[in-house]
Amino acid sequence: MNEVVEREVDRSKLQVSDEVAIEITGMNKWYGSFHVLKDINLTVNQGERIVIAGPSGSGKSTLIRCLNALEEHQQGRIVVDGTELSNDLKNIDKIRREVGMVFQHFNLFPHLTILENLTLAPIWVRKTPKGEAEETAMHFLEKVKIPEQADKYPGQLSGGQQQRVAIARSLCMRPRIMLFDEPTSALDPEMIKEVLDTMIELAEEGMTMLVVTHEMGFARQVANRVIFMDEGQIVEQNEPEEFFNNPQSPRTKLFLSQILGH
Amino acid sequence: MANTEISFVRTEMLQEQAPPALNVGLVGWVRGNLFPDVLSGILTVVALYLIYSLLSGLLPWVFGGVWNAGSLSECREIIAAAHGEGAEAACWAVIHERFWQLMYGFYPDHLYWRPNLALVLLFAAIAPVLFEGAPRKMFWITAASPFIIPWLLWGGTVWVPIMAAMGFVIGYFVYKLVAQVSSNLLGLIAGPLALVIWWLFLSSYASSGLASVIPLELEPVASRKFGGFMLAILLGVTGISMSFPIGIVLALGRQSNLVIIKALCVGFIEFIRGVPLITLLFVAQVMLSYFLPAGTDFDIILRVMIMITLFASAYMAEVIRGGLAALPTGQYEGADSLGLDYWQAQRLIIMPQALKISIPGIVSTFIGLFKDTTLVSIISLSDPIGWVKFIQANAEWNGIVWELYGFVAFVFFLFCFGMSRYSMYLERKLKTGH
Ligand SMILES: Nc1ncnc2c1ncn2[C@@H]1O[C@H](COP(=O)(O)OP(=O)(O)OP(=O)(O)O)[C@@H](O)[C@H]1O
Ligand SMILES: [Mg+2]
C-alpha cells in the first residue's frame, strides 16, 4: 500500500493560484434512504492536487463522481469552473467538457483503436477537424510514452498502458480539472509506477487534480492537501506532512495505522 | 578460470527433425480425428455407414432424375423405360416446367425483367451495407432503392415513388424550420408528423396531378399476381430491413428513463411476442378492413409486410436488449465523462458494441423471419409453398411431393446458409480482442 514514488517531484513547479476551480457548499446525497454524502463543504483552487483517502464505502468515489454529474446530488451547490451543476443539461455538458475523469477500470472503448479512442470526443463534442484531433492525440500519446500503440485496440495493451491511454484520452479534451478514481487499484505493482509518473508530470504542468487513491507515497510527494473521508463526511483535511505525521481525529489515526502499518 | 578450453556453450544447433509420420499428413489427421481411441473409432465406423446408406439411396434418385416430361405419369414411364419397372428416380420435370411460376407466381411473363432488375438493384443496395470494401457512392443506390424497387414491381406512374421520397424532404425542412423557431424536440415531433400527413393525405393528389401533366408510367401489376420466391424475398427483405431499426428503437425505449415510453415499448414487445405470427397474419387479412375506413384500398402485401415487420421487431428488440445488458456500465460512464450526449454515446459507443455482441441472435431472427414468410400461404398468398400446393392440385402433377418441397427447401437453405456464413464473417472481422 505504501508504494514509494521513485521519480523526483519538482515541488517548485507545483503552484496553486487563488482562482477557485471547484466550490462545494452544503452538499448532501442519498441513495434511496441511505445518506451517502453528508454536508460536504470543499473549495478547490486552480492548480491544487488533492488526494482523497478513507476506508472502503466512505463515499470517496461518490463525491468525485458528483463533480461531473455521473451521480446526481440532492442538496447543496456544486460550482465547477464558474458553472453551477443543476438539472440543466447544458451546464452538465459544459462541465463534462472541462472536467476529465480517469476510472479504476479504464473504461476505454474496446471496439475503437487507441487513436480513435483519443480523437472521438474532440471530433464529436468539440467539433475539432479530424486531422487536428489526430495531431493532438499523438501529442498526448507521446506524453504518456506509448505513441507506437496508436493503431492497436485496447484489448491488446497491458493494464498500465491502458490506464495511460485513458489519461491521454481525457487530456485530449484539454480539461482544466482532472478527477482520478483509484487509477492504480486494478494494476499490477510494476505498472503502478508508470501511471503515477504520468500523473506527477500532469501535476507539474499545473493541472488541478482530485485523486482518490491508496498510494500514500503519491499523496506525500505530490498532493498539497489530503482529505480524509469516513461515513460520507470529510473528517479531516490537511497538508500531507501534517496529515501523516500529526493526524487529529482518532478515525484518521486508525486508518493511517492500518494502511501504513502493513 | 580465465583460460578454460572447454566450451560450455553449444556452438552448433541441432537440425530440426521431421515429426513422426503418425502425427502428420493424411495418416496423422485420420488417426487424430477419426480413430483417436476405440470408442471413437467405432462411432466413426457407424457414422460412416449411416452416411453411406443415406447417400447411396439419395444420390441415384437425385441424379438419375428426369428433366423433360409433361406430367408425372410421363415421368414414371420414362423412368421405368430407363431403369426398369419399379425403379425410383426424381421427376425434376415439374421444376423445369413450373420454374418461372415458382419464381414469380402469376407475374406477367413479358415483365419478368422488372423483378430481375429489382433483384440486381437489391444486391447493389445491400453491398455497401454488408461490405466495407464497396464504394461509398453505392449508398445512393441504397437510399433510392426503397422507392425504385416497389415502383419496378408494382408499376404505375413514376410520380408515386418520387412523391413518397418527397415526403422525407418535406419532413426534413419542417424539422429544420420548427427546430429553428422553437426547440429541437418540437422539430423532432413536427418533422415526422409532416411526413405522415404528406404520405396519407397529400402525396396521392400531388402524384396524380403530376401524372396527368407528365404521364410517365410502367404497366401496373396487381398484388394478387405476386408470388413464388419473388414474394418470399420481397417480404423477407422488407421485414429484415425495417425490423432492424425498429428493434433498435424499441430496445432503447425499453431502457429509457421516461416511464411512458418505457411502458409503451414493453407493452408492445410483450404483446407481439405473446401472439403467434399466424394470428397477426389473419388480422392483416381480415380484421384490418374492419378498422380501416370503408373503401380504403390497403394492399394485402403491404398489410402482411407490416405484420411481419412488427413481429420480427419485437424479437429483434429483445435480442438487442441482451447485447445492451452485456455492456459494462463503465462504457456509459466513459462516454458521459467525455461529454458525449445520449445519441452520440448510443451511436458511437454503445450500439456498435451491443450489436456486435448480438450478431448471432440478430441473424437467427433474420433467418427465422425469412422462413416464416412461408406462413403467408395460409392466408392464400402464393408464396413458394402456396405454389407447391397449386401445382400439386394440377391433374398432370397430382401426387408429386418430394421434388417440389425438396427444391423449395434447397433454395431456402441457400439463402439462410448465406446469411449464417455472413454473420460468421462479420464476427471474425469485428473481433478486436487479443
Ligand atoms: N448505485 C448505488 N446504489 C446504492 N448504494 C450505493 C451505490 N453506489 C454506492 N453505494 C453505496 O454508497 C457508499 C459509498 O460508496 P463509494 O463507492 O462512494 O465508496 P468508496 O469510498 O469509493 O469505496 P471504495 O474505496 O470501496 O471504492 C457505499 O456504502 C456503497 O455501498
Ligand atoms: Mg470507490
Side-chain angles (χ1 to χ4, degrees):
Chain A
M1 282 287 123
N2 48 350
E3 282 301 317
V4 180
V5 182
E6 288 159 37
R7 190 180 178 288
E8 271 307 310
V9 181
D10 187 352
R11 284 200 81 98
S12 70
K13 283 195 188 162
L14 302 178
Q15 306 255 324
V16 178
S17 88
D18 16 328
E19 206 183 317
V20 174
I22 300 174
E23 188 162 21
I24 308 174
T25 34
M27 193 259 273
N28 282 282
K29 172 168 178 61
W30 289 263
Y31 280 124
S33 60
F34 174 53
H35 200 173
V36 235
L37 293 178
K38 301 169 188 159
D39 192 33
I40 305 285
N41 291 289
L42 179 68
T43 305
V44 180
N45 283 355
Q46 208 50 257
E48 278 202 84
R49 289 92 38 211
I50 294 183
V51 164
I52 303 172
S56 182
S58 56
K60 308 177 296 288
S61 300
T62 312
L63 173 62
I64 68 165
R65 288 159 60 87
C66 280
L67 295 178
N68 64 352
L70 284 185
E71 301 285 350
E72 210 180 339
H73 63 285
Q74 279 95 24
Q75 236 175 47
R77 276 163 58 89
I78 301 180
V79 180
V80 179
D81 223 22
T83 310
E84 173 159 6
L85 258 185
S86 56
N87 286 330
D88 191 343
L89 285 177
K90 286 219 174 76
N91 282 0
I92 292 182
D93 285 343
K94 182 156 177 251
I95 286 171
R96 284 181 178 162
R97 263 174 272 155
E98 303 307 324
V99 179
M101 181 147 190
V102 176
F103 301 86
Q104 182 175 1
H105 296 288
F106 330 134
N107 297 358
L108 294 176
F109 306 131
H111 62 303
L112 300 177
T113 64
I114 301 304
L115 192 64
E116 288 165 342
N117 263 279
L118 267 65
T119 54
L120 184 92
I123 290 175
W124 290 94
V125 180
R126 286 224 190 275
K127 316 284 177 209
T128 315
K130 188 161 179 251
E132 195 182 311
E134 282 177 357
E135 255 170 54
T136 315
M138 287 315 293
H139 166 78
F140 282 113
L141 277 183
E142 258 151 49
K143 205 178 168 64
V144 300
K145 305 194 177 56
I146 35 176
E148 72 282 359
Q149 313 285 2
D151 294 322
K152 291 200 183 158
Y153 286 94
Q156 299 165 323
L157 266 55
S158 76
Q161 290 173 325
Q162 290 193 46
Q163 192 60 296
R164 285 182 284 156
V165 170
I167 295 176
R169 181 176 73 177
S170 289
L171 293 177
C172 282
M173 286 293 279
R174 309 266 182 195
R176 316 236 299 157
I177 300 165
M178 285 284 284
L179 310 173
F180 294 83
D181 190 359
E182 307 207 23
T184 55
S185 302
L187 299 179
D188 292 340
E190 62 269 30
M191 295 172 186
I192 292 179
K193 189 181 158 302
E194 61 191 45
V195 171
L196 290 181
D197 282 351
T198 308
M199 291 169 63
I200 292 170
E201 247 172 69
L202 261 186
E204 286 175 349
E205 283 164 16
M207 179 65 77
T208 311
M209 296 164 64
L210 274 82
V211 186
V212 175
T213 183
H214 298 295
E215 298 296 328
M216 290 305 140
F218 177 82
R220 253 182 225 279
Q221 292 198 49
V222 183
N224 68 312
R225 210 169 1 145
V226 181
I227 290 179
F228 176 71
M229 284 186 75
D230 195 12
E231 291 179 8
Q233 283 169 304
I234 295 184
V235 175
E236 183 169 348
Q237 48 179 313
N238 219 328
E239 291 179 355
E241 273 319 294
E242 277 295 291
F243 179 84
F244 288 111
N245 299 340
N246 193 12
Q248 304 293 310
S249 137
R251 282 194 273 180
T252 319
K253 284 177 193 158
L254 178 65
F255 175 74
L256 286 179
S257 71
Q258 281 167 350
I259 201 170
L260 299 176
H262 284 275
Chain B
M1 277 295 276
N3 269 343
T4 35
E5 293 288 305
I6 311 154
S7 166
F8 287 98
V9 179
R10 191 194 278 277
T11 52
E12 266 173 49
M13 298 315 282
L14 286 181
Q15 289 293 311
E16 269 190 31
Q17 290 183 350
L22 284 181
N23 288 335
V24 289
L26 186 62
V27 179
W29 187 88
V30 168
R31 242 178 89 102
N33 292 293
L34 299 182
F35 300 99
D37 56 58
V38 178
L39 181 63
S40 310
I42 293 172
L43 286 176
T44 300
V45 171
V46 171
L48 283 177
Y49 174 72
L50 286 177
I51 294 173
Y52 168 77
S53 44
L54 191 71
L55 290 185
S56 62
L58 191 63
L59 292 183
W61 183 81
V62 169
F63 291 102
V66 175
W67 282 93
N68 290 306
S71 68
L72 185 58
S73 45
E74 195 187 332
C75 249
R76 292 207 170 121
E77 279 163 27
I78 298 175
I79 293 167
H83 305 289
E85 206 60 42
E88 294 267 349
C91 180
W92 298 120
V94 65
I95 308 294
H96 187 183
E97 197 192 80
R98 300 302 184 104
F99 182 77
W100 299 109
Q101 289 175 339
L102 282 168
M103 288 296 143
Y104 300 105
F106 287 117
Y107 207 87
D109 49 8
H110 65 287
L111 296 178
Y112 281 166
W113 65 272
R114 275 160 47 179
N116 292 346
L117 182 60
L119 190 67
V120 171
L121 252 176
L122 176 70
F123 282 126
I126 57 179
V129 180
L130 297 188
F131 302 104
E132 242 181 338
R136 297 288 93 181
K137 286 222 177 71
M138 288 179 80
F139 271 116
W140 288 107
I141 304 179
T142 313
S145 58
F147 305 101
I148 300 177
I149 289 180
W151 179 58
L152 279 175
L153 294 180
W154 275 279
T157 166
V158 71
W159 294 107
V160 170
I162 293 181
M163 286 303 113
M166 255 323 263
F168 284 100
V169 179
I170 290 173
Y172 177 75
F173 277 110
V174 169
Y175 158 71
K176 272 281 165 197
L177 198 76
V178 176
Q180 230 156 48
V181 288
S182 62
S183 75
N184 201 28
L185 184 70
L186 273 183
L188 280 178
I189 297 171
L193 201 66
L195 172 79
V196 171
I197 291 175
W198 169 262
W199 275 357
L200 287 186
F201 303 111
L202 303 174
S203 68
S204 55
Y205 295 111
S207 48
S208 55
L210 280 161
S212 60
V213 183
I214 311 170
L216 202 63
E217 68 163 27
L218 288 175
E219 182 182 327
V221 178
S223 288
R224 272 178 293 110
K225 305 211 163 158
F226 284 41
F229 280 102
M230 178 187 125
L231 182 63
I233 294 173
L234 180 65
L235 294 174
V237 168
T238 32
I240 286 171
S241 52
M242 299 296 292
S243 68
F244 187 52
I246 297 178
I248 291 179
V249 171
L250 284 173
L252 290 179
R254 191 167 190 167
Q255 293 216 319
S256 166
N257 293 328
L258 306 169
V259 184
I260 296 181
I261 294 194
K262 182 176 173 145
L264 281 177
C265 291
V266 173
F268 176 85
I269 292 170
E270 294 306 336
F271 173 73
I272 296 281
R273 287 204 309 166
V275 177
L277 176 58
I278 192 74
T279 335
L280 291 178
L281 292 177
F282 279 128
V283 169
Q285 188 192 23
V286 188
M287 309 263 284
L288 275 187
S289 25
Y290 290 117
F291 298 132
L292 292 166
T296 355
D297 176 30
F298 197 36
D299 194 281
I300 179 72
I301 291 185
L302 195 59
R303 288 189 238 168
V304 167
M305 274 177 182
I306 291 175
M307 286 306 179
I308 289 181
T309 302
L310 293 183
F311 188 75
S313 311
Y315 282 90
M316 192 61 64
E318 288 298 282
V319 168
I320 293 171
R321 189 167 69 99
L324 286 170
L327 280 195
T329 50
Q331 292 294 307
Y332 293 89
E333 293 176 354
D336 281 348
S337 74
L338 288 168
L340 295 169
D341 66 30
Y342 176 80
W343 292 109
Q344 288 172 337
Q346 288 300 339
R347 193 157 64 84
L348 302 167
I349 310 298
I350 307 302
M351 271 305 152
Q353 296 185 63
L355 293 181
K356 184 175 126 186
I357 299 172
S358 345
I359 289 173
I362 292 176
V363 175
S364 290
T365 312
F366 284 168
I367 290 177
L369 182 157
F370 186 54
K371 292 189 297 187
D372 282 353
T373 60
T374 51
L375 283 175
V376 300
S377 65
I378 294 184
I379 58 166
S380 61
L381 286 180
S382 52
D383 84 311
I385 299 294
W387 262 103
V388 168
K389 290 184 195 150
F390 287 160
I391 296 172
Q392 286 170 335
N394 240 284
E396 294 99 64
W397 300 111
N398 201 336
I400 199 157
V401 179
W402 292 103
E403 292 83 346
L404 283 169
Y405 283 120
F407 174 72
V408 171
F410 177 70
V411 177
F412 268 101
F413 175 78
L414 285 186
F415 279 103
C416 297
F417 188 64
M419 286 195 250
S420 138
R421 298 306 297 194
Y422 176 76
S423 100
M424 286 162 77
Y425 154 82
L426 201 61
E427 277 179 72
R428 257 198 322 275
K429 196 183 79 171
L430 294 179
K431 206 165 171 188
T432 59
H434 293 276

